[in-house]
């Protein structure tokens, strides 16, 4: 890294989003560091530092506070520009947390605007005329409409964001983006002239090249926000404007050897199919045992201890037993939280037994496992699929793949193990 060039600071609202972003940054030649929490920033910052938080579904006041603390820590290591990374499906409720988090960064950085672009064309997320699509479906027609924590039933992002912030929200449409960075800059200036206070601007993008154009227009902004693909485009634009030559090839770390285990806590259809396609030893834990915690831990320890030398193992949840637990007096959120904590405890026990490679399926499960393992920082390893890399916690001798529930193809687990090598 050119020492005269300051790193860009990225704040991700969950673990899988952070690893997704770090992977895309590395693919585009950005020398990136990944930190699991505000207190874990490495001294060697590289070109970019991604701080992984767990704030997507927490109360808005807690999310604001955590984001500001992360931003202050990033500023302390030299970052002058901050990017708020959220899910490409704009996961949030009327209360937030996309609006509250970006507003917190506006307050801290004194930014006059925030350009938003959640589009992630490689994963089928695009914004057209201000509406978010998941492949060919409007967001409101996709499986996200029934998300257990953040159901997304309005694809009009300007309207969604306006419910979360007191600041004005405006749009730049594809017809302007098609004309290039100059036209985008002119439109952003026009919008800025209409507002005396800080404001938000949601920009259409349907192709990767659209993201690059938007990033060039926003490269001087103190705060920007969006999905992983726009975050990487923003980093490239900022560094190129500063005269930085990015690496021609991604910089990836080798994975440490050792036994592998898969922990699947996600309820998504994609993960369920991936579980069905795994042909190795499998332990299915019912939700009652996971809610109890100790029962699930005992079963998992016995299962792994007897099979650790036989190859990769899978520990998953019995999705059909969720309703019974809720009927016994626990809310869906309470059940989910207990399952996450149990999966975290299981991961700690598996590390003690000798597992050195973990595949974690599910955003909330990933956050719980990272917290339970007390991960500090990591380097990026080889990509498994779009948005999912292996990462290497070099201080622990661990390799981990944190997968959002909906990411990856039907054979994701076998693909991940193949990419890991021997």
């Amino acid at each position: 890294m050119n020492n005269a060039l300051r790193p860009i600071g990225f704040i991700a609202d969950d673990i899988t989003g952070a690893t997704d972003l770090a992977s895309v940054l590395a693919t585009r030649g950005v020398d990136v560091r990944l930190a699991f929490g505000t207190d874990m920033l490495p001294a060697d910052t590289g070109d970019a530092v991604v701080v992984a938080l767990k704030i997507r579904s927490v109360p808005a006041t807690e999310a604001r506070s955590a984001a500001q603390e992360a931003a202050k820590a990033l500023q302390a290591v030299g970052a002058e520009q901050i990017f708020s990374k959220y899910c490409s499906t704009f996961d949030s409720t009327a209360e937030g947390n996309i609006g509250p988090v970006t507003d917190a960064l506006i307050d801290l950085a004194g930014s006059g605007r925030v350009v938003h672009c959640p589009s992630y064309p490689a994963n089928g997320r695009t914004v057209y005329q201000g509406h978010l699509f998941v492949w060919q479906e409007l967001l409101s027609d996709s499986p996200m409409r029934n998300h257990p924590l953040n159901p997304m039933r309005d694809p009009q992002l300007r309207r969604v964001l306006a419910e979360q912030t007191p600041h004005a929200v405006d749009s730049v449409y594809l017809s302007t983006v098609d004309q290039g960075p100059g036209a985008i800059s002119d439109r952003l200036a026009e919008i800025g002239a209409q507002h005396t206070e800080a404001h938000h601007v949601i920009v259409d993008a349907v192709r990767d090249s659209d993201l690059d154009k938007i990033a060039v227009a926003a490269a001087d902004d103190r705060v920007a926000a969006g999905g992983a693909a726009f975050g990487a485009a923003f980093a490239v634009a900022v560094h190129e404007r500063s005269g930085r030559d990015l690496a021609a090839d991604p910089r990836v770390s080798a994975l440490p050897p050792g036994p592998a285990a898969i922990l699947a806590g996600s309820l998504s259809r994609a993960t369920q199919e991936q579980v069905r396609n795994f042909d190795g030893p499998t332990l299915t834990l019912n939700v009652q045992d996971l809610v109890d915690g100790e029962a699930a831990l005992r079963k998992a320890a016995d299962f792994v201890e007897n099979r650790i030398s036989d190859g990769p193992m899978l520990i998953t949840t019995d999705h059909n037993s969720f309703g019974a637990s809720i009927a016994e007096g626990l809310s869906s959120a309470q059940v989910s939280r207990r399952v996450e904590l149990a999966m975290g405890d299981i991961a700690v026990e598996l590390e003690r037994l000798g597992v050195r490679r973990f595949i974690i399926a599910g955003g909330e499960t990933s956050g719980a496992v990272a917290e339970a393992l007390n991960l500090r920082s990591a380097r990026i390893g080889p990509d498994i699929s779009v948005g999912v890399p292996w990462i290497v916690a070099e201080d622990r001798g661990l390799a981990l793949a944190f997968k959002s529930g909906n990411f990856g193809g039907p054979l994701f687990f076998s693909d991940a193990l193949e990419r890991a090598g021997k």
Side-chain angles (χ1 to χ4, degrees), residues 137-333:
E137 295 180 314
L138 282 167
L139 178 66
S140 53
D141 295 328
S142 77
M144 285 300 301
R145 69 186 182 276
N146 294 321
H147 191 282
L149 296 176
N150 298 324
M152 299 303 295
R153 292 168 183 159
D154 188 350
Q156 220 286 8
L157 299 187
R158 184 174 177 180
R159 189 163 51 220
V160 173
L161 187 56
E163 292 182 348
Q164 303 177 21
T165 174
H167 296 303
V169 183
D170 218 314
S171 301
V172 175
Y173 296 122
L174 191 64
S175 57
T176 299
V177 174
D178 284 342
Q179 297 174 53
I184 299 168
S185 295
D186 290 344
R187 178 59 184 143
L188 290 173
E190 289 177 6
I191 292 171
Q194 297 168 11
H195 303 290
T196 58
E197 298 181 350
H199 53 280
H200 301 266
V201 185
I202 296 170
V203 188
D204 284 1
V206 299
R207 302 166 290 255
D208 286 333
S209 58
D210 296 335
L211 300 175
D212 291 331
K213 296 172 188 175
I214 299 162
V216 169
D220 288 332
D221 289 5
R222 294 181 183 178
V223 179
F230 181 48
F234 182 75
V236 170
V238 170
H239 285 310
E240 288 183 347
R241 179 163 296 188
S242 301
R244 168 82 165 106
D245 292 326
L246 296 172
D249 299 311
R251 308 174 188 184
V252 298
S253 296
L255 272 58
I262 304 162
L263 299 181
S266 170
L267 293 174
S268 74
R269 289 185 299 183
T271 297
Q272 290 182 52
E273 185 176 13
Q274 291 156 3
V275 167
R276 288 193 295 270
N277 283 313
F278 180 72
D279 60 2
T282 301
L283 172 66
T284 301
L285 296 169
N286 66 54
V287 177
Q288 286 79 12
D289 283 344
L290 287 159
V291 167
D292 174 84
E294 287 297 324
L297 186 60
R298 287 194 301 272
K299 290 182 179 180
D302 290 343
F303 172 76
V304 171
E305 196 166 16
N306 292 326
R307 294 169 178 81
I308 194 165
S309 61
D310 296 338
M313 304 152 285
L314 167 65
I315 298 175
T316 186
T317 56
D318 178 5
H319 301 94
N320 296 323
S321 62
F322 265 73
S325 295
I326 295 172
E328 290 172 3
L330 294 175
S331 69
S332 176

Side-chain angles (χ1 to χ4, degrees), residues 9 13 35 109 117 139 193 233 258 266-267 310 312 348 359 396:
D13 65 0
C117 191
L139 178 66
S266 170
L267 293 174
D310 296 338
V348 172
I359 301 171
R396 298 281 292 280

